[in-house]
């Protein structure tokens, strides 16, 4: 009887599914899965997480929300502008009332001086001077000091030249006479002082 040599390495049959091998193998086409077609070697511009792109309804809803927020912002801005106008007008009325109230004592004293003018005509001068000083003080308290100084250097920001005169006793370019006092300084100036100035040599 012939003797068959024994096979030391038994053959194990291969039952691997070819379809499973194809699924596990990397793609051969160079097209990444789940991100759309590749362009010049870069991933496609699909959804960032590999999901579907937003629909037209989603875009429309987002646009509608942005438009609503824009309209609300415009409405808030318009309400703010109207409120600012109302507050500004209220402040103006308050300031006018405060200023008028500050001048009421001046008017009272002026009427009092006129009342006593018939009994003592000489007292009218003193009364008017007192009222004038009181009015000047009120303007100063409101932030508008009086300027009627002579002998000071001419300042175009505070003086308005009405005339130029020759005065040997005055330095050239200085105020010789004040024809109309000025009130206030800088941005709070009511008016400059009208003056005559010594002629420059």
């Amino acid at each position: 009887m012939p003797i068959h040599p024994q096979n030391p390495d038994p053959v194990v049959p291969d039952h691997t599914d070819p379809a499973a091998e194809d699924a596990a193998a990397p793609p051969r086409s160079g097209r990444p899965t789940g991100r759309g077609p590749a362009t010049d070697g870069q991933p496609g511009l699909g959804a960032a997480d590999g999901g579907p792109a937003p629909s037209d309804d989603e875009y429309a809803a987002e646009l509608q929300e942005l438009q609503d927020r824009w309209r609300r912002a415009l409405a808030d801005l318009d309400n703010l502008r109207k409120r600012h106008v109302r507050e500004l007008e209220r402040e103006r009325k308050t300031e006018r009332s405060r200023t008028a109230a500050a001048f009421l004592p001046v008017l009272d004293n002026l009427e009092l001086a006129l009342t006593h003018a018939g009994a003592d005509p000489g007292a009218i001068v003193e009364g008017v001077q007192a009222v004038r000083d009181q009015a000047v003080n009120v303007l100063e308290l409101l932030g508008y000091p009086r300027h009627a100084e002579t002998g000071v250097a001419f300042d175009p920001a505070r003086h308005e030249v009405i005339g130029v005169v020759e005065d040997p006793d005055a330095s050239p370019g200085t105020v010789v006479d004040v024809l109309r006092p000025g009130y206030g300084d800088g941005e709070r100036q009511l008016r400059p002082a009208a003056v005559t100035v010594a002629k420059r040599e």
Side-chain angles (χ1 to χ4, degrees), residues 158-183:
R158 297 172 53 187
H159 301 134
E160 178 184 357
V161 178
I162 301 300
V164 178
V165 297
E166 294 184 2
D167 190 341
D169 298 330
S171 300
T174 59
V175 175
V176 175
D177 190 17
V178 177
L179 305 178
R180 185 189 63 200
Y183 293 91

Side-chain angles (χ1 to χ4, degrees), residues 2-167:
I3 300 174
H4 297 283
Q6 296 180 355
N7 187 1
D9 298 324
V11 177
V12 179
D14 188 3
H15 298 289
T16 303
D17 188 358
E21 291 182 353
D22 294 340
R28 301 184 182 90
S29 62
R31 177 177 298 174
T33 59
R35 292 189 178 273
T39 304
D40 296 335
Q42 298 294 331
L45 299 178
D49 58 353
S55 63
D56 293 341
D57 293 339
E58 292 174 335
Y59 279 126
E62 184 178 0
L63 178 61
Q64 182 64 35
E65 180 183 358
L66 292 176
Q67 289 178 343
D68 292 341
R69 292 172 60 185
W70 174 67
R71 292 189 182 96
R72 287 195 297 268
L74 286 181
D76 292 341
L77 181 61
D78 187 60
N79 292 333
L80 180 62
R81 181 187 61 82
K82 293 178 180 178
R83 183 166 63 251
H84 176 70
V85 170
R86 291 193 299 268
E87 292 177 354
L88 182 61
E89 182 62 25
R90 183 167 57 250
E91 289 295 328
R92 287 175 176 172
K93 291 180 179 179
T94 301
E95 186 65 21
R96 285 196 296 266
S97 177
R98 186 173 71 91
T99 304
F103 270 99
L104 285 179
V106 177
L107 182 60
D108 294 338
N109 289 334
L110 183 59
E111 291 179 347
L112 184 63
L114 292 175
T115 301
H116 292 82
D120 186 3
I124 186 65
V125 177
E126 295 181 0
V128 171
Q129 289 178 346
V131 173
R132 191 274 312 273
D133 295 340
Q134 187 178 19
V136 170
N137 183 58
V138 170
L139 285 174
E140 186 172 0
L141 292 176
L142 292 175
Y144 303 102
R146 175 186 174 97
H147 295 293
E149 305 85 1
T150 59
V152 297
F154 169 74
D155 184 357
R158 297 172 53 187
H159 301 134
E160 178 184 357
V161 178
I162 301 300
V164 178
V165 297
E166 294 184 2
D167 190 341

